[in-house]
Amino acid sequence: MLLSHRQLCLLLLCTTQFVALLDFSITMIPLPQIQHSLGFTPGGLQWVINAYGVAIAGFLLLGGRAADLFGRRRVFIAGLLLFTAASLLGGFSHSPAMLVATRALQGFGAAMFSPAAFSLLLAVFPEPAQRNRALGAWTAVAASGFVAGLILGGFITDLLGWRWVLWINVPVGLLVLALSPALPQGRPDAAAAGGSLDVWGALLVASGAATLVFAFANSEHVGLAHPLTFALVALALALLALFVWVEGRVAAPLMPLAVFLRRSTGGANVVSLLANTALGPTFVVVALAMQEVLGFSATRTGLGLLPMAVAFTLASAWAGPALIARCGTKPVIVGGTLLFIGGLAMLGASLATLSAWAASILPGTVLAGIGYGLAFPAWTVAGIDGVPEADHGLAGGMLTTTQEVGSAVGLAVGVAVSIAVLAGGGTAAQGYSGAILVSACLVAAGLACAIAILPGKAARQEAAS
């Protein structure tokens, strides 16, 4: 049975979202193989993940604005072309610098096509009922993309080698590009036609995030307590502060402060930032522990991480929304974050004496996955609570940005802690344990912010009236 025009458009747009999420997780599993093949240092290896994440975080809002100004399909095609070309080049990498550079280009391409794809989806399905079904498919595909990356990363690495985790994007990208004329034009918005791109804002937030990540990555060479580490952290904070200053003065800011300073929106973004300092690092640290300490193959590692990914996906798709409808967002965020912290604490303690997957890794990762999965949809709803409908895309983009920045910074901090433990005479397992326990502390800070900042049900009702 042939697909209708709308079904074809939905398939194409969901495929690109699947690939964007897949590409974040698919490189987590073959990190040891990449390290041995290209000669990455332990601290430098994190940039295989973080170059992609920081590029998306820094330029996602700019990509959405560009789609409004220049046309959704045009920006979608340009971003997908860049992503596909970078994937091809990345597979031919012969040095750490080349792989990191191509991963950053992939992230920039994804930051262009992902918001454009979302806008095109809304244009294809303007009726509320059909739009909700299409958005449900979009959300499900996004969650499955992250899970599929963990599984495919292992299988592809064992069967074909790590370079194919990048090359797999090429035929998919070319097929979508060939069928892209089926997508609507998505002409520039008349309201945005007189506006401009906030390029300085995008450069400042990307530079600030990258500098903060580099500060911890560079501690591999100089140490966490070195003055250079503190200087780089100070520079990163200065760049991010300058970004906030610029956003208050440009005509078309990437992050309008009036939206961000809403109690619910700002609080949700702070919680998202701190909670995500643990999610990505947990997957990476556990993947390294299973391969380097337990001797797992890439395929077994992907399967070993699957219970956590499935727990996160199921809790996020089913249990979380049901609890939000019954209890409201703040109690679910607090409860889910508590479970997340408990799972991380259990995992961190067991990694110090890592002996077997079932006893040391499975319980903590599943509990952490359930906790994060419950809290994730709750802070997403809180992030757009009370925001005018015209700014929903902006509020969603801000949440995605804080998620990516949090994950990148958390991974850098985790690697720095792990290396510091090794430098102090500890074992690799103890280093991985320390990284997870520090992540748990950062999430605990996010829990404190959720309790202090997010409004309760009564406060939201009073604000609405």
Side-chain angles (χ1 to χ4, degrees):
M1 181 179 178
L2 294 176
L3 295 174
S4 68
H5 179 259
R6 282 188 169 187
Q7 289 172 330
L8 176 60
C9 290
L10 178 63
L11 177 63
L12 294 178
L13 296 172
C14 284
T15 297
T16 58
Q17 182 69 358
F18 178 87
V19 169
L21 271 295
L22 174 91
D23 234 65
F24 183 79
S25 60
I26 198 170
T27 52
M28 291 179 176
I29 305 301
L31 285 177
Q33 291 80 1
I34 293 172
Q35 181 179 14
H36 298 150
S37 175
L38 298 182
F40 273 93
T41 65
L45 188 63
Q46 64 185 286
W47 285 102
V48 178
I49 307 293
N50 278 346
Y52 185 80
V54 168
I56 290 181
F59 296 105
L60 182 72
L61 296 176
L62 185 72
R65 179 67 174 166
D68 290 340
L69 284 172
F70 305 123
R72 275 80 178 204
R73 190 173 76 179
R74 182 179 300 170
V75 172
F76 173 83
I77 291 173
L80 189 55
L81 271 172
L82 178 60
F83 178 87
T84 304
S87 299
L88 179 64
L89 290 174
F92 288 107
S93 295
H94 53 75
S95 67
M98 182 176 178
L99 181 58
V100 169
T102 53
R103 287 286 289 165
L105 285 175
Q106 280 185 298
F108 184 75
M112 293 175 65
F113 74 67
S114 185
F118 185 78
S119 297
L120 287 170
L121 184 75
L122 300 184
V124 173
F125 296 95
E127 301 88 355
Q130 293 183 344
R131 174 180 291 185
N132 289 341
R133 287 194 292 270
L135 288 175
W138 173 274
T139 304
V141 164
S144 63
F146 187 90
V147 175
L150 298 174
I151 302 172
L152 289 176
F155 281 120
I156 291 172
T157 301
D158 282 342
L159 292 175
L160 301 172
W162 68 265
R163 296 179 187 275
W164 280 94
V165 302
L166 298 172
W167 284 336
I168 193 176
N169 296 322
V170 177
V172 177
L174 291 176
L175 178 61
V176 174
L177 286 168
L179 296 174
S180 61
L183 298 172
Q185 286 280 355
R187 299 186 183 279
D189 284 346
S196 60
L197 284 174
D198 181 15
V199 176
W200 281 112
L203 291 175
L204 284 170
V205 70
S207 299
T211 303
L212 190 59
V213 171
F214 179 73
F216 292 103
N218 189 62
S219 69
E220 172 194 10
H221 306 292
V222 301
L224 280 171
H226 195 277
L228 180 59
T229 302
F230 288 107
L232 287 170
V233 170
L235 175 60
L237 295 178
L239 288 169
L240 294 174
L242 184 58
F243 164 70
V244 173
W245 183 84
V246 167
E247 294 307 280
R249 284 157 179 79
V250 295
L254 292 179
M255 187 187 76
L257 298 183
V259 175
F260 185 79
L261 292 177
R262 296 179 63 92
R263 189 174 169 187
S264 182
T265 303
N269 276 274
V270 172
V271 175
S272 170
L273 176 73
L274 291 169
N276 278 283
T277 59
L279 183 67
T282 298
F283 279 106
V284 172
V285 166
V286 173
L288 289 172
M290 283 195 283
Q291 294 182 76
E292 298 293 335
V293 179
L294 296 180
F296 277 26
S297 67
T299 299
R300 286 186 69 194
T301 300
L303 293 174
L305 284 169
L306 189 58
M308 180 179 180
V310 171
F312 154 62
T313 302
L314 294 180
S316 178
W318 290 330
L323 286 173
I324 292 168
R326 178 179 297 180
C327 307
T329 55
K330 185 171 183 176
V332 178
I333 292 172
V334 172
T337 305
L338 277 171
L339 290 177
F340 189 30
I341 295 169
L344 292 173
M346 186 186 303
L347 178 63
S350 61
L351 281 178
T353 55
L354 183 58
S355 57
W357 172 81
S360 301
I361 292 175
L362 179 61
T365 53
V366 169
L367 182 60
I370 293 172
Y372 183 93
L374 292 175
F376 173 70
W379 74 57
T380 301
V381 172
I384 62 172
D385 186 32
V387 175
E389 186 174 352
D391 291 327
H392 278 183
L394 168 68
M398 288 164 58
L399 281 168
T400 304
T401 299
T402 54
Q403 289 163 19
E404 297 289 352
V405 171
S407 184
V409 172
L411 181 54
V413 171
V415 171
V417 170
S418 181
I419 291 173
V421 171
L422 286 172
T427 65
Q430 290 170 336
Y432 297 141
S433 172
I436 295 296
L437 291 175
V438 168
S439 293
C441 292
L442 292 173
V443 180
L447 174 61
C449 291
I451 295 171
I453 300 174
L454 290 173
K457 189 173 183 180
R460 292 200 313 274
Q461 290 175 342
E462 182 180 346
S465 61

